[in-house]
Every structure is written in structure tokens, then in C-alpha cells.
Amino acid sequence: MGKTFQPLLLTAAMLACAPMVQAASTLVYCSEASPAGFDPSQYTSGTEFDASAETVFNRLTQFKRGGTEVEPGLATKWDVSGEGLVYTFHLRPGVKFHTTDYFTPTRDFNADDVLFTFKRLLNPDDPFRKAYPSESPYFTDMGMNTTIKNVEKVDEQTVRFSLNNIDAAFIQNLAMSFASIQSAEYGAQLLKEGKAADINQKPIGTGPFVFKRYQKDSQIRYTGNTAYWKPEDVKIDNLIFSINTDPAVRLQKLKTNECQVSGYPRPQEIEEAQKDPNLKVLSQAGFNLGFLAYNVTHPPLDQLKVRQALDMAIDKPAIIKAVYQSAGQLAQNALPPDQWSYDPSIKDAPYDPEKARQLLKEAGVAPGTQINLWAMTVQRASNPNARMSAQMIQQDWAKIGIKANIVSYEWGEYIKRAKAGEHDAMIYGWTGDNGDPDNWLGVLYSCAAVKGSNYAKWCNPAYDKLVNQAKLTSNRDERIKLYQQAQHVLKADVPITPIANSKVFQPMRKEVQDFKLSPFGLTPFYGVSLSK
């Protein structure tokens, strides 16, 4: 123990005396926002997932680095019963939970940890959940709370999940951030101390990085996990998230080597980064959608004609040219084009302010009617500048007699208030999390997700029936047919206006080695190293 601990102490001492950039294996990531917390099950946003699920935690299954293919994680293998309702996971032996100044494990990871993780998500009366009431929006948005019937311990190294219904994407779902495995022993300690809420501020996992401390709006510090079960994935001694909400500041820090990787650049910064001989910019087609959600529970947005009018009044090509520049393409569907089951026959209503005015008149909406239009304050791969998008939509709607008031909040507050349904219309974006169509059509637009990530608060029984049916079959052709019908129902009812699918860019210093872009819009540092 003393031997592994000493170099970390020395590194910490060196870090205290020297500027960050001089420590040989310290990687600083200029991130875009402060995470609201570190318990991945409570969130749906990349900011929280990057700071917790991608660093501190592991899951039973995981996605291959840079891809959508599932591989073993904390489970080495799994068996599925013939009818597809029972999954038996064989757990990886010898996996250590993190040792920190607030927790020292007495045993390795085992079945009890899987039970603690999922029983807390499944059961509102779970003792831990009663001590620390928390929602798990992703878990419920995806219907996992009704799909999973039971989780039981077969023995120390084996866990059995019984399902109420077939879920064609179950193994992919378990590789997602919300399914990160927590320590049952740490949970018991927190309960005993009356500090259950610390699970969201002082995380303990089995992942490649160990959480050290967090200063909101400033930085998060981690150290490399020297006892990690996959040692080849830990090539950095210290990982620091330097939180900078201004993209221009992030780029400047990258150029001066104050950070080695930077998140969410704006189009103009990408060009600047590409010209710098000390930087490289990785890019790939984004698996994302930037869109506008209409809260259909707020009058006059509860009327289809009003939503149709607002939708056809938006000059989307102008927004793409100004906001996304060369990094975006026009979106007409609620899915990105490279998601299987995407229906290319779905087209937008033509841009027509004249007809929009007529529809508003028919709906009895008087000129000068006010609508609160919410705009994110953070950059996202799906929208590099939501405020500029909002200003352009504001101008478009003014032409048809609608007065849009632009409303913004700090990121955590924005999501919290939007989940509560305070907005009229809001700009939002999504990047797929597991490669399955349900991650879009279920999570963003289903009745189950109305209190979660369905920001349109739209619940259409005909649509829901199709989407739920598609999850129950593993026949891909059948699923495609059902999902395409669902896309037509959604398009006709206009709960959202799709705006753009954008290309993803990740600027970094040339000395950063083996960084893989995640198709899911996450920023993972396992397997990444720095050349001297």
C-alpha cells in the first residue's frame, strides 16, 4: 500500500509547486460546464456523464472505445434464456473499488454491488433511496423500471436479471452511463453516517480515475487508478477538468498548453485550431440532433395549428449557415440520418410565413402573443450557439406576430426547470447513447419520458404503441417498420422542430495520444496518454 501511495503523494506535491502543464502525466481538459453531481443515474447530460460515468465508474457491459459495439465490462460474459426474458451475468473477479480519504473498501466488487445499484433504481422504498430521494430519469425514460422484473444474486460472482418483457436493446442499455455500478459497502457506510446525499458529491466506483475534489465553476481533480482491472487503460497520473463556459477562453488555454484537450468548440474556433501547428482537430459525422421542443401542455402550444405555424415560420437554412456554418446539415426528422430505421421520406413543411400567419389566425392567436423561448447557455455538439439560434427564431416569429422572450439559465438549472415543464419552447440537443432507435424515439418523445427528457411533454397513444411494440421484438426488419410508422406520427403532430445534425470536432494538443471520439458525444480519457 505504502509503495503505490508514495508516488501519488509526490506527484501531488510536485503539482502544488509547479504549474499544471509541467507535470509529465497530468492531462487538463477544458470542459464547458459544471456538473450538477457525480451520480450518473440521476442525469441525462454529457456534462455529468463525462465527470462521473466516463472517469470514476464502470458498467456490466461497455461500448468499445470509439464505437457502438458492446463488449464485456464488469461482467465477463452473459447468458440469455431462450425466450429472451432472463439474463445471467458472470462477474469479473478481483475488481477493486476506489480507496479515498472518505472510503476504504474491505472487499472486491461482487453481486451485492449490482443488486444495490439496480434495487435503488427500481424500488422507491429502497432504504438508500428513502434516505436520499432521487429520480433516475434515464432509467424511467427508457422504461427500464417496468422492463426489469427482478434482480437477484445467484452467488458472489453471478447476477440474474428477470424481465417482464423482451427488450431488444437490453445489453446496450446496461452499457449506458446511468447503469454505472455503485459500491454497496459505500452505500451502507453513507446510510450509517446519515450522509446518503454524498453519493452524488463524493463518488466511489471501480473506474480508471479516482475522484479527488470538485470546486464548482472551477475544476475537478482525479488521479489515475493504480489498481484498475484493465491497467492498459490508465496512462495518465492526474486528470483535471478545468471548467470554462466561454469557448474562446477554452481555445486560448489550449493554445498556451494550459489544457491539452478542449470541449465543444464553435465553428470559428475550429478553423483557428486547425491553423495552429501545435494542435490537431479530430472530427467525425455527429450522431446528434439540435431541435426545438414545444411544451404541448402550455397554451397556445397545445394547438396543432400553432405548432405548425411556428415550425413553418423558422428559416432553418439561415440558422444552419449562421450558427453551424460548415459543420451542420439540415435536419427534417427526429432521428439523425445514420441511425438505423431513419425514414428518409420524411420532409419538412415548406418555409411559409404567410401560411403561418393564416394558421395562427385560425387558431385564434392574436398578433403580439408572447412565448418564452428557452436557450441553453452551454455549447453542445448538437448546437454550438443556442442563443444565436434563439435570436434568429425570435426574428422569424416576429414576422408572424409572435413575440418570443429569450430565457436562459445556468445548465443544471436549465435542465431541472425544463424537466418541471416551466418552458414554453426550448432549444435542446441530443446525441445518441447506445446506437438503438429507442434511445431517440423512446427517451425523447414517449409518454414514459414526459417527466424526464421528453421536453415537449407530448404523449401520443398511437405513437407510444408503435414505439413500445418495436422494443418487444428482436426482429430488426419488424422494428424498422414500426419505428418508421412512429416517425410519421411524430412529424404530423409537430411536438418538435428538428433543426440540424452537426459534425463533431475535438481540438487537442498534438502530444495527446490515442484519444478516440465517442459516437455518443462523451469525452473519455481511458486509454489516452501524453507523449513527452
Side-chain angles (χ1 to χ4, degrees), residues 62 65 208-209 228 230-235 525-528:
Q62 62 191 33
R65 239 161 49 89
F209 298 98
Y228 193 48
K230 200 176 177 188
E232 67 272 21
D233 272 359
V234 184
K235 295 175 177 172
F525 291 101
Y526 53 96
V528 176

Side-chain angles (χ1 to χ4, degrees), residues 244-289:
N244 302 271
T245 54
D246 185 335
V249 171
R250 294 199 293 272
L251 179 65
Q252 200 44 45
K253 287 191 166 186
L254 191 65
K255 287 161 92 71
T256 55
N257 203 19
E258 287 174 75
C259 58
Q260 288 71 51
V261 179
S262 178
Y264 304 107
R266 289 186 303 208
Q268 59 269 40
E269 278 119 27
I270 295 160
E271 285 174 41
E272 201 180 324
Q274 284 167 333
K275 289 175 191 160
D276 190 314
N278 299 310
L279 306 182
K280 58 185 173 185
V281 181
L282 306 186
S283 68
Q284 67 184 24
F287 192 46
N288 60 44
L289 174 71

Side-chain angles (χ1 to χ4, degrees), residues 37 43 77 79 91 96 179 208 290 293 328 330 333 346 473 526:
Y43 302 104
K77 58 178 183 172
D79 314 309
L91 307 181
K96 314 282 178 209
L330 181 78
N333 197 334
I346 285 178
T473 173
Y526 53 96

Side-chain angles (χ1 to χ4, degrees), residues 19 42 50 85 106 131 141 156 163-164 177 195 226 252 270 276-277 285 342 358 366 372 388 392-393 503:
Q42 287 191 43
D50 285 346
L85 290 175
T106 65
D141 288 2
E156 294 291 310
L163 309 187
N164 285 312
S177 300
K195 294 180 177 172
T226 53
Q252 200 44 45
I270 295 160
D276 190 314
Y342 172 87
Q358 182 58 38
N372 287 332
M388 189 194 279
M392 294 181 76
I393 292 168
K503 201 172 172 182

Side-chain angles (χ1 to χ4, degrees), residues 4 29 71 128 130 166 170 182 207 215 237 258 288 292 318 346 372 398 517:
T4 53
Y29 168 55
E71 63 179 7
F128 196 93
K130 282 200 144 173
I166 290 169
F170 189 65
Q182 300 273 2
Q215 199 179 337
D237 294 327
E258 287 174 75
N288 60 44
L292 183 68
I346 285 178
N372 287 332
L517 280 176

Side-chain angles (χ1 to χ4, degrees), residues 182-199:
Q182 300 273 2
S183 160
E185 200 180 7
Y186 181 48
Q189 175 186 306
L190 293 178
L191 264 187
K192 194 175 168 188
E193 293 171 350
K195 294 180 177 172
D198 275 7
I199 201 164

Side-chain angles (χ1 to χ4, degrees), residues 72-150:
L74 291 177
T76 54
K77 58 178 183 172
W78 47 89
D79 314 309
V80 187
S81 64
E83 79 287 9
L85 290 175
V86 180
Y87 287 74
T88 305
F89 292 89
H90 305 275
L91 307 181
R92 191 176 294 280
V95 174
K96 314 282 178 209
F97 276 100
H98 299 157
T99 297
T100 66
D101 58 4
Y102 51 89
F103 177 69
T104 303
T106 65
R107 61 163 178 81
D108 290 350
F109 155 74
N110 69 24
D112 293 332
D113 304 305
V114 180
L115 261 62
F116 169 65
T117 300
F118 285 94
K119 293 210 160 172
R120 179 182 155 224
L121 299 180
L122 284 164
N123 180 12
D125 296 321
D126 176 82
F128 196 93
R129 189 149 151 200
K130 282 200 144 173
Y132 178 49
S134 57
E135 297 302 315
S136 36
Y138 231 136
F139 192 71
T140 49
D141 288 2
M142 297 182 73
M144 296 282 278
N145 56 328
T146 52
T147 292
I148 299 172
K149 182 183 189 174
N150 191 23

